[in-house]
Amino acid sequence: MKMKKFLMASAIIAFGSTSFAAEVISPEEWKLYQEGINPGEVFAEEVGGALFNKPMGPEGKSCASCHTKNGEVEEKVATAAAYYPKYDPSCGKVINLEQRIQLCQAKYQKVKPFKLKSKENVALTTYLFYLAAGTPINVDISEPHVKKYYEYGRYIFTLKRGKRNLSCQVCHEFAAGKILRMQPLYPLGTKAINGTPGRASASLWPAFRMTKNKVQTLQQRFQGCQKQGGQKKLPLGSKEMVALEVYVKSLSNGVELKTPGLRR
Ligand code: HEC
Ligand code: HEC
């Protein structure tokens, strides 16, 4: 089993205090964590990997039946997480990896696809991101359809809405370098803003969230911010969310995926 070790020191910094961590994560997860194992990787392999290899549908096909050669997941699928969202001609729109998985389930496995918010879809997604770890992010924003999503995503990013009249930009650009609820705000991409270096956040999601005790996707993280910012959550997979994903992820183009990440 391929598992990277995490240093306890970084854990303590991330949590502030270890007792806090012990309160919010389950005893089993805490044990893994103390052993230096990222529970997100365990989830990717044991839940996502198992689903990838599980025969389903009328023809008993698994993802692996079509996408594995000599026991290895084929390159284009093993690195897809770095390239998605991508334009899909058969859908006539830009889709993210979660939706690509649904497409293969419907089109090729001939099953009812797992819902975007289901544990199963998140597990398969996390598995593909886990396989793609080390591949540089490359969302092709020169492709005309993707470019439109990029521009729309930037618009959504700057749009003020909700009862506190906030936009993503207010917190992640204007307030970059400031502290909010004891958490420093970093620019999301690679570029520094207000002298604060960016953290290429998209290279770390899906991530195991210690405060939620589960893996969340990038779009689910956006929803968390929308909720905290007093905005109505945008639906997973909506045009607005895919556009936001294209925009935010492209800000980290060139940075290697370190997925699944481990986040507070
Ligand atoms: C019966 C064969 C078959 C099965 C089963 C299947 N796929 Fe696919 N998959 C394909 C084909 C063919 C393509 C490329 C053509 C297309 O875009 O439809 C593809 C494309 C993909 C891509 C996109 C690659 C790219 O470069 O854009 C991903 C990711 C993927 N599949 C993942 C999965 C996952 C995960 C499962 C299981 C839930 C799965 N597939 C099940 C046949 C299959
Ligand atoms: C009220 C301020 C606020 C608003 C509005 C806000 N965020 Fe956040 N966001 C935060 C805080 C605080 C964090 C956690 C600190 C961190 O990880 O940088 C965070 C974390 C994130 C992360 C994870 C960063 C990482 O490195 O793991 C992403 C991605 C993100 N926000 C995207 C967005 C998007 C997209 C929007 C608009 C839909 C948005 N945020 C709106 C405050 C905000």
Side-chain angles (χ1 to χ4, degrees):
M1 219 193 220
K2 177 181 123 198
M3 278 188 199
K4 282 170 237 130
K5 300 282 169 188
F6 279 80
L7 289 175
M8 214 31 224
S10 63
I12 294 165
I13 294 162
F15 285 126
S17 90
T18 48
S19 59
F20 168 65
E23 276 165 30
V24 293
I25 81 176
S26 73
E28 300 81 43
E29 232 95 36
W30 181 234
K31 193 164 166 283
L32 283 178
Y33 196 66
Q34 282 185 308
E35 287 163 3
I37 292 166
N38 174 354
E41 294 192 0
V42 179
F43 176 70
E45 284 204 11
E46 292 185 357
V47 186
L51 283 170
F52 193 86
N53 289 295
K54 186 180 172 187
M56 276 185 260
E59 291 152 32
K61 288 238 160 65
S62 69
C63 315
S65 336
C66 296
H67 293 306
T68 306
K69 285 190 192 93
N70 308 320
E72 292 272 321
V73 178
E74 63 174 338
E75 181 82 13
K76 72 166 190 186
V77 172
T79 58
Y83 307 110
Y84 272 75
K86 218 168 100 172
Y87 178 68
D88 184 83
S90 72
C91 303
K93 60 180 185 182
V94 175
I95 57 170
N96 75 352
L97 192 65
E98 290 88 312
Q99 292 167 303
R100 174 69 240 191
I101 292 167
Q102 288 188 320
L103 189 60
C104 269
Q105 287 192 286
K107 201 163 149 185
Y108 298 117
Q109 270 184 324
K110 303 190 177 80
V111 295
K112 192 163 168 265
F114 298 130
K115 293 214 164 66
L116 291 175
K117 66 169 188 210
S118 68
K119 181 180 173 185
E120 288 81 6
N121 183 285
V122 174
L124 277 167
T125 301
T126 307
Y127 179 63
L128 295 186
F129 269 93
Y130 173 67
L131 295 179
T135 310
I137 296 176
N138 188 7
V139 179
D140 182 8
I141 52 172
S142 68
E143 195 281 328
H145 301 90
V146 180
K147 189 162 185 279
K148 284 211 180 97
Y149 273 67
Y150 171 89
E151 281 155 8
Y152 188 48
R154 172 69 193 170
Y155 166 75
I156 302 287
F157 194 81
T158 57
L159 184 69
K160 287 189 179 163
R161 51 182 203 105
K163 53 176 185 271
R164 292 166 61 196
N165 201 31
L166 285 170
S167 67
C168 317
Q169 184 185 33
V170 169
C171 289
H172 291 289
E173 286 184 8
F174 301 157
K178 301 212 168 75
I179 311 278
L180 182 73
R181 287 197 201 136
M182 293 182 345
Q183 293 185 77
L185 281 162
Y186 295 94
L188 297 176
T190 49
K191 286 208 187 88
I193 300 177
N194 305 336
T196 304
R199 207 162 44 175
S201 298
S203 66
L204 304 164
W205 292 84
F208 180 80
R209 289 200 65 185
M210 296 172 282
T211 52
K212 306 261 181 231
N213 197 26
K214 64 179 177 191
V215 172
Q216 287 194 323
T217 62
L218 189 60
Q219 286 196 9
Q220 287 172 329
R221 184 67 187 92
F222 296 167
Q223 285 189 326
C225 279
Q226 287 161 353
K227 200 173 155 215
Q228 277 192 337
Q231 300 178 339
K232 199 168 178 287
K233 285 195 279 181
L234 295 169
L236 300 174
S238 61
K239 184 174 181 189
E240 286 67 28
M241 279 296 225
V242 177
L244 261 183
E245 184 174 345
V246 166
Y247 173 69
V248 170
K249 194 165 171 182
S250 71
L251 297 177
S252 299
N253 268 352
V255 177
E256 288 180 9
L257 286 173
K258 292 178 247 348
T259 38
L262 194 57
R263 310 305 274 159
R264 187 173 173 281

